[in-house]
Structure formats: C-alpha cells, structure tokens
C-alpha cells in the first residue's frame, strides 16, 4: 500500500468523512493514470479500518466504508482545447492523455477493489447527466475530487454534482491555485460562479495541500449567514 505524505488532500478528506460518518460515494473527475484514485482508495480503507478497529469504544463496530463505491470520470483523451490566454502553458488540448485500459490496469495492480469501481468515459459536457448518475446508482457524494484544470470542464462537473451534495460532503479541487490570480478564471472562477447560481450552498475551507490543491466542506441551507466561501 502506497500512502502519500501526511499533508496530502486525500488523507484529510478520508479522515473527515470517516470521523464524521459522511455517507456517500467517492467521485473523481480527471483520473489520468490512476495515482490519485489509488491513493484515495488506500486512505479511506486504511483510515476507516483504523477508526473501526476491534475493541474501539463505539456504537458501531463494523466499518461501513468497506462498501463505499468509487466512480471515475474521464474522456481519456487528455484536456479539451481551450483558447484562454490565462491558462498555464501545459493546459493544451490532448495533454494528460491516458488510455482507459492503462488506468484500469494501474488501479487493479495497486489492489483497488474493482467490484466497487465504475468508469464513465467521455467529455464532461456530454457524459455528465442524470442518466449517467442513474447508471452508476449515484445518490450521495462523500468526496468529489475535481482534477480537470479548466474553467469550462469545472462548470460541467459542478452542475452535475449539485443533486448529490449534502452537508458534510468534501470537495477537493486539484487546480484551485492555478488561475494566475484571476478569481474569474480557471477552476476557482468556475466554482465562484457556481456558488453565485446556487445560493443555498456554502463552502467551508478545510485544508490546502501542495502548491495548488484546496479542500472544502459543503453546507446546504446554512442556518447562520456567512460568506459563501471563506478562509481561502
């Protein structure tokens, strides 16, 4: 089992959902070769096994996270074309391409329980819809890891996940700090615009990891009025 550093976003996300018993599935948008998918599986498995270990003083001794489903979403064609001059230089069409078979071979070799894995292949603007959610049996999201780099792709993802969010859902944005400081651009810009369209959703900042990743906790219909996003 390979576990990344203690400060990585996947450990923080796993710790949060386990300690708080957040129900739902794991979703990853932009899986590439599978490294982060494997890490999330390992962190949730290891952390929950430790939390629900035999002899723990808890009302619930069995580990419910052993049944969590893992859903992968990717075109497997790399990034789509984008003509924005504000994008980092590596954000060009076709970059980060990896075949779906490579992804599957890698996560299988790493010991991921394939019986709990689904793969939805396609460009997000075409593949992310209610029919796709019904096909994989999606009802609640515990963690969504969003690694799509671009504003346009993030818009498609955020609109797709709205019906499946609950208070306590963890959202991990790999490219939160890759917009060159423009708050109307990149992943951050797309999320801020999405919050503007969904006034009942608030995000509480939870953790920053490495040089680009930010983690947030969702709150639906907050009882106390605060800014929709804070402490970034």
């Amino acid at each position: 089992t390979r576990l990344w550093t203690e400060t990585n976003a996947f450990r923080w996300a796993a710790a949060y959902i386990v300690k708080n018993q957040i129900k739902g599935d794991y979703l990853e948008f932009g899986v590439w070769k599978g490294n982060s998918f494997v890490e999330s599986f390992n962190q949730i498995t290891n952390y929950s096994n430790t939390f629900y270990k035999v002899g723990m003083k808890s009302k619930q001794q069995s580990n419910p996270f052993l049944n969590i489903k893992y859903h992968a979403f990717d075109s497997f064609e790399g990034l789509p074309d984008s003509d924005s001059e504000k994008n980092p230089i590596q954000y060009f069409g076709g970059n980060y391409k990896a075949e779906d078979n490579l992804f599957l071979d890698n996560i299988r070799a790493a010991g991921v329980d394939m019986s709990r894995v689904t793969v939805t292949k396609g460009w997000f603007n075409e593949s992310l819809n209610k029919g796709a959610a019904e096909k994989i049996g999606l009802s609640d999201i515990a963690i969504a890891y969003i690694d799509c780099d671009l504003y346009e792709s993030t818009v498609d993802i955020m609109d797709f996940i709205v019906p499946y969010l609950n208070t306590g859902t963890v959202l991990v944005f790999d490219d939160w700090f890759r917009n060159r400081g423009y708050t109307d651009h990149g992943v951050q810009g797309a999320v801020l615009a999405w919050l503007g369209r969904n006034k009942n959703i608030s995000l509480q900042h939870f953790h920053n990891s490495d040089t680009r990743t930010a983690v947030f906790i969702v709150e639906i219909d907050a009882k106390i009025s605060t800014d929709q996003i804070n402490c970034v």
Side-chain angles (χ1 to χ4, degrees):
T1 299
R2 175 191 176 193
L3 294 177
W4 295 356
T5 64
E6 290 188 356
T7 59
N8 86 74
F10 310 108
R11 177 180 180 274
W12 282 68
Y16 184 88
I17 67 167
V18 170
K19 286 187 174 183
N20 291 283
Q21 293 82 59
I22 303 300
K23 296 180 180 179
D25 298 342
Y26 173 85
L27 280 64
E28 183 165 324
F29 299 90
V31 299
W32 201 25
K33 298 178 181 180
N35 291 340
S36 53
F37 201 87
V38 169
E39 179 65 10
S40 292
F41 177 85
N42 287 340
Q43 290 286 1
I44 294 170
T45 301
N46 290 1
Y47 208 99
S48 62
N49 280 339
T50 300
F51 190 81
Y52 289 98
K53 65 184 178 182
V54 176
M56 174 186 173
K57 294 181 180 179
S58 171
K59 295 180 180 179
Q60 181 177 353
Q61 294 297 326
S62 61
N63 180 359
F65 294 94
L66 294 179
N67 298 316
I68 187 173
K69 295 180 180 179
Y70 294 80
H71 305 296
F73 301 83
D74 204 304
S75 68
F76 298 100
E77 297 292 338
L79 293 177
D81 291 325
S82 177
D83 57 4
S84 175
E85 295 180 355
K86 295 179 181 178
N87 288 336
I89 58 174
Q90 69 269 42
Y91 289 2
F92 57 87
N95 199 20
Y96 304 121
K97 179 179 180 179
E99 297 293 335
D100 53 341
N101 286 336
L102 176 61
F103 165 74
L104 291 169
D105 287 346
N106 286 343
I107 66 172
R108 185 181 294 109
V112 172
D113 181 357
M114 302 302 290
S115 69
R116 292 189 280 145
V117 174
T118 73
V119 177
T120 300
K121 184 177 180 179
W123 297 110
F124 293 152
N125 64 337
E126 299 173 349
S127 64
L128 299 183
N129 51 56
K130 185 177 180 179
E134 292 175 348
K135 183 176 180 180
I136 63 175
L138 182 61
S139 59
D140 298 288
I141 298 174
I143 300 174
Y145 176 53
I146 298 161
D147 184 10
C148 64
D149 303 337
L150 302 176
Y151 182 102
E152 298 84 357
S153 300
T154 307
V155 170
D156 296 326
I157 294 168
M158 301 308 294
D159 288 342
F160 172 72
I161 65 176
V162 168
Y164 315 104
L165 298 177
N166 299 295
T167 296
T169 296
V170 181
L171 300 181
V172 183
F173 299 100
D174 180 72
D175 306 290
W176 189 261
F177 298 109
R178 292 302 304 275
N179 51 26
R180 298 190 178 186
Y182 295 100
T183 57
D184 63 344
H185 189 69
V187 171
Q188 186 176 144
V191 174
L192 293 173
W194 172 77
L195 287 170
R197 299 191 302 273
N198 296 273
K199 297 296 186 181
N200 66 317
I201 300 176
S202 301
L203 297 183
Q204 179 183 5
H205 181 241
F206 181 50
H207 177 64
N208 290 340
S209 177
D210 58 60
T211 61
R212 64 184 185 274
T213 305
V215 186
F216 298 89
I217 309 301
V218 172
E219 185 172 9
I220 308 294
D221 296 324
K223 301 302 182 183
I224 298 177
S225 178
T226 63
D227 292 336
Q228 280 189 281
I229 193 166
N230 53 60
C231 303
V232 179

